[in-house]
Amino acid sequence: MTSPDESGPGAGQTLAVEHVIDVRGLSKVYGEGDTAVHALRDVDLTVRRGEYVAVIGQSGSGKSTLLNMLGCLDAPSSGRYLLEGLDVAYLDERQQAVLRNRQIGFIFQAFNLIPRTNALAQVELPLVYAGVGRRVRRERAEAALALVGLSERADHRPNQLSGGQQQRVAVARALVTGPALLLADEPTGNLDSTSTGDVLALFDRLHAAGRTIVLITHDDEVAARAERVVVVTDGRLHEVGVPG
Amino acid sequence: MSLVEIVRFALRGLWANRLRSLLTMLGIIIGIAAVILLTALGNGASQYIQSQIAGLGANSITVLPRQPPQSAGTDGRPLTTADVDALSDPQGAPDIASVSGVVTSSVTVDAGRASSGATIVGSTPSYFPGANVQIATGRAYTEADVAAGRKVALLGATVVEDLFGVGADPVGRTVLVNGVPFDVIGTLVPSGNGGGLSNPDENVLTPLTAVQGSLTGFGDLSQIVVQARSTEGQAAAETEVNSILDRRHGIDNADDRDYQVISARQLADVLDQTLGAFTLLLAAIAAISLVVGGIGITNIMLVSVTERTREIGIRKALGAPPSAILGQFLVESIILSLVGGAIGVAVGYAGTLVPLGDFRPVVLPSAVVAAVAVSAAIGIFFGAYPARRAARLRPIDALRRE
Ligand SMILES: Nc1ncnc2c1ncn2[C@@H]1O[C@H](COP(=O)(O)OP(=O)(O)OP(=O)(O)O)[C@@H](O)[C@H]1O
Ligand SMILES: [Mg+2]
């Protein structure tokens, strides 16, 4: 499963660092003064390599805020975030882009596919930014689409795909660069039970193959698949431990 | 990420909004075409007028009497045949080839029942080269004709037409000039209104002595036509005319002169300056339309960035470096302006193929080069701002926007 050229920055340390994610005292405040929202307060979180973690919590508790920070899509107000032992705050924009490209696969609740672009091109996109040549790119994108069972839909545009299919394209796109860390924000929130089953089965397989997965969900059944569940309540994080 | 990929993304982005891309390009097309067309117009007009001036006789200098200013304290002296003799002296005026005294008068010319208003021009044979007059049929009058005061005449094209009809050859006929009979010995090549002071096609050319003897009396001259030895010597010839006439007319101060010197060279200089300013004005107007086109590109690129903010967010989340986003939008605007520029050049060229009246626009190659360079610069300059804005967006901010 893990592709041979998984050699982004920090790959040299991959074996040396035990924690893929190491977050200390992380806070996020939106806005200022009276309207300031403390979305995260002093959060500590470590995720070991190969762990499958579910994040649950009420709406507005700060789950997405946390995941965006873990995905280097947003910067914290204070606190430290080490990804593969690397302090993200010290990276410039270009280095963060490389990090997002090679180390992280991000799956959005809203799919976030690019309009008017077929499934194969969607999946190829991260490889284009990684500088992978055309032929290799195509092969790997086709392999990723095969993995999510969408080989027949390679030339379909987002508006020609069902919700579940779109989400599987998004998963393929997140996987195609072979990232160590997979982050998913309510990946099944918009899916029916069959599609949810498909996507979760895929996650199980990835987990079995050694990927580190952090996933947000409202669904207890989804959380039950994870090894470990953490709860976010009003910007604070609590361990729940291994679910029954 | 290679340039090829960036260009592919840019082309895809432009193609997705075909109509908008086309309309944006229209601004640049009009701007570039306007620059090429308007400078070609100025250039064509300039070349046309230069050729017209050359037709006046490049080496000729005309001296006209003039009322001196009040400060001179005198009414001045008229131009006389004695002045002509002085100017003809090869010692005093080495750069002057020939001098002819001229008497003109408005007259009525009759032949049978037909009648024509004309200007009779009495002079000497050197007037023909001096005033650049070409003979169509017959012959010019000679020194002998002048010496004998023979009443012979050459008719301008309009006069021939009025009296004898189009294409007629009146050589050998007799016409009455203010009732005095003149034998027609030749006709003049139509000048098509030489752009000068009077219309040579309405002239009747006769020996000076014939006009003086029968119509005006032996008085003052209406003008003196001087021909310089060479085009290069024209300025020197003008100086000689001035110094000789100043001496003869007792003039110390150039402002007090009782005559004025007009040359094709002076006319060319003045017209050249006027046309230069005119061409510059046209170019400025065209440049404004180019800038407006450039602002159109900025505007559309801003709209495009805003509209595709979410897409930019997705690309950044997938690991697009700022340079890739910058490149994509920058290349989009460069393609818009370069393709627009190329079409603009073609349209501008096509426009110059339409003849306007007497003259044709002549494309200035430098204007084409400048226009293309400007369109590329517009693409970079006006595309850079929206592209930088797009590249700088935080992924999450871009993704949150609807
Ligand atoms: N850009 C923002 N500006 C201001 N406040 C924000 C912003 N984004 C989120 N918030 C606030 O931060 C808090 C946490 O938001 P977050 O999106 O992390 O919640 P969540 O746990 O993901 O909720 P849900 O389960 O509904 O997705 C909320 O109170 C929200 O209103
Ligand atoms: Mg959320």
Side-chain angles (χ1 to χ4, degrees):
Chain A
M1 173 77 224
T2 305
S3 52
D5 70 327
E6 186 184 327
S7 54
Q13 308 155 331
T14 301
L15 295 175
V17 186
E18 183 193 1
H19 293 128
V20 177
I21 291 172
D22 187 349
V23 166
R24 307 230 180 99
L26 200 75
S27 296
K28 179 70 180 179
V29 184
Y30 291 114
E32 284 169 23
D34 293 343
T35 59
V37 177
H38 291 263
L40 285 180
R41 300 166 198 262
D42 200 19
V43 168
D44 295 329
L45 173 68
T46 54
V47 177
R48 283 196 315 280
R49 188 168 310 287
E51 233 180 341
Y52 187 176
V53 180
V55 180
I56 58 171
Q58 288 197 324
S59 179
S61 56
K63 305 182 296 292
S64 294
T65 303
L66 176 63
L67 204 73
N68 291 339
M69 231 93 70
L70 296 182
C72 284
L73 300 178
D74 204 355
S77 305
S78 62
R80 238 155 52 109
Y81 171 31
L82 305 183
L83 178 63
E84 298 277 6
L86 214 67
D87 193 334
V88 172
Y90 292 109
L91 303 179
D92 66 19
E93 272 215 52
R94 198 186 52 78
Q95 290 168 320
Q96 286 194 18
V98 173
L99 204 67
R100 287 194 289 269
N101 188 243
R102 313 286 167 82
Q103 305 283 58
I104 301 165
F106 206 104
I107 299 159
F108 300 91
Q109 178 173 7
F111 313 151
N112 275 343
L113 298 182
I114 293 178
R116 292 185 292 265
T117 307
N118 70 33
L120 190 66
Q122 304 270 359
V123 179
E124 276 187 42
L125 201 54
L127 297 175
V128 174
Y129 291 126
V132 176
R134 256 185 175 207
R135 209 176 45 77
V136 180
R137 206 158 76 199
R138 174 156 294 244
E139 280 170 11
R140 287 178 59 178
E142 278 167 353
L145 276 178
L147 189 76
V148 298
L150 279 179
S151 292
E152 277 90 68
R153 296 282 185 273
D155 56 351
H156 284 215
R157 310 244 177 93
N159 57 356
Q160 300 166 325
L161 294 169
S162 76
Q165 287 168 335
Q166 287 185 57
Q167 191 60 297
R168 279 189 278 158
V169 172
V171 173
R173 190 178 63 182
L175 291 175
V176 75
T177 52
L181 177 60
L182 209 60
L183 302 173
D185 192 348
E186 299 187 43
T188 58
N190 288 331
L191 303 183
D192 65 12
S193 57
T194 321
S195 300
T196 300
D198 288 350
V199 171
L200 288 181
L202 191 58
F203 277 36
D204 285 342
R205 293 219 307 278
L206 293 170
H207 172 51
R211 289 304 159 100
T212 312
I213 301 173
V214 178
L215 156 156
I216 295 177
T217 185
H218 278 295
D219 189 336
D220 288 342
E221 267 184 53
V222 176
R225 303 271 197 127
E227 291 176 294
R228 179 180 155 206
V229 176
V230 295
V231 185
V232 181
T233 320
D234 206 9
R236 293 182 204 281
L237 195 118
H238 311 279
E239 293 282 344
V240 170
V242 184
Chain B
M1 182 179 185
S2 70
L3 192 65
V4 181
E5 301 290 350
I6 290 179
V7 171
R8 271 196 358 177
F9 280 158
L11 283 174
R12 235 186 255 165
L14 290 173
W15 187 247
N17 289 296
R18 292 178 279 284
L19 183 63
R20 195 166 70 189
S21 304
L22 204 74
L23 289 175
T24 311
M25 258 193 273
L26 205 58
I28 291 296
I29 292 171
I30 291 171
I32 298 273
V35 167
I36 290 176
L37 205 55
L38 291 183
T39 53
L41 272 181
N43 190 31
S46 171
Q47 289 191 2
Y48 172 73
I49 287 174
Q50 295 291 351
S51 72
Q52 291 291 93
I53 287 170
L56 285 180
N59 298 349
S60 87
I61 299 164
T62 305
V63 183
L64 295 171
R66 151 185 118 133
Q67 183 72 33
Q70 213 112 71
S71 58
T74 161
D75 278 349
R77 289 181 222 183
L79 297 172
T80 62
T81 40
D83 290 326
V84 173
D85 294 341
L87 291 171
S88 306
D89 174 16
Q91 245 99 58
D95 292 296
I96 292 175
S98 70
V99 185
S100 14
V102 181
V103 170
T104 60
S105 180
S106 289
V107 293
T108 309
V109 186
D110 300 287
R113 292 225 190 92
S115 177
S116 171
T119 302
I120 192 160
V121 177
S123 191
T124 52
S126 59
Y127 178 80
F128 288 86
N132 200 30
V133 175
Q134 314 286 327
I135 292 166
T137 61
R139 62 170 181 91
Y141 53 78
T142 62
E143 292 291 354
D145 292 328
V146 176
R150 278 189 202 115
K151 297 198 198 58
V152 293
L154 291 94
L155 307 183
T158 308
V159 180
V160 172
E161 207 175 295
D162 286 352
L163 299 179
F164 303 102
V166 182
D169 183 4
V171 173
R173 310 273 290 267
T174 301
V175 294
L176 295 176
V177 179
N178 280 7
V180 180
F182 276 75
D183 293 329
V184 178
I185 58 168
T187 61
L188 308 179
V189 171
S191 73
N193 188 14
L197 314 164
S198 63
N199 185 354
D201 292 343
E202 290 173 2
N203 285 353
V204 174
L205 269 48
T206 67
L208 178 65
T209 46
V211 178
Q212 288 177 322
S214 60
L215 295 167
T216 63
F218 293 85
D220 311 330
L221 298 177
S222 308
Q223 50 176 275
I224 299 174
V225 173
V226 175
Q227 201 178 16
R229 281 200 192 284
S230 65
T231 311
E232 299 76 46
Q234 175 136 19
E238 275 176 49
T239 313
E240 286 159 16
V241 168
N242 277 326
S243 68
I244 290 170
L245 291 182
D246 281 354
R247 184 153 29 83
R248 289 183 48 77
H249 290 209
I251 289 160
D252 307 319
N253 185 345
D255 290 338
D256 295 341
R257 279 182 183 145
D258 54 10
Y259 65 93
Q260 76 185 104
V261 173
I262 297 169
S263 70
R265 188 179 65 87
Q266 288 173 344
L267 212 58
D269 284 353
V270 171
L271 284 174
D272 232 26
Q273 278 173 15
T274 317
L275 272 173
F278 178 64
T279 306
L280 210 66
L281 183 76
L282 290 181
I285 293 171
I288 289 171
S289 68
L290 252 187
V291 170
V292 171
I295 292 170
I297 287 200
T298 318
N299 192 17
I300 288 304
M301 291 315 293
L302 277 174
V303 169
S304 179
V305 165
T306 310
E307 209 183 66
R308 284 147 70 187
T309 300
R310 202 177 166 77
E311 180 186 325
I312 292 168
I314 298 170
R315 288 175 183 274
K316 296 199 107 176
L318 296 178
S323 62
I325 303 291
L326 183 78
Q328 179 180 343
F329 284 93
L330 203 54
V331 168
E332 272 190 30
S333 77
I334 290 174
I335 289 174
L336 275 182
S337 57
L338 275 187
V339 173
I343 298 175
V345 168
V347 170
Y349 252 113
T352 61
L353 299 180
V354 180
L356 292 161
D358 284 335
F359 73 93
R360 269 201 45 176
V362 180
V363 173
L364 276 175
S366 58
V368 176
V369 172
V372 171
V374 164
S375 72
I378 281 176
I380 294 169
F381 185 78
F382 288 100
Y385 172 64
R388 277 168 65 91
R389 262 180 51 146
R392 284 210 178 145
L393 283 170
R394 273 235 214 110
I396 195 65
D397 293 336
L399 280 169
R400 275 213 190 99
R401 229 175 286 171
E402 274 315 310

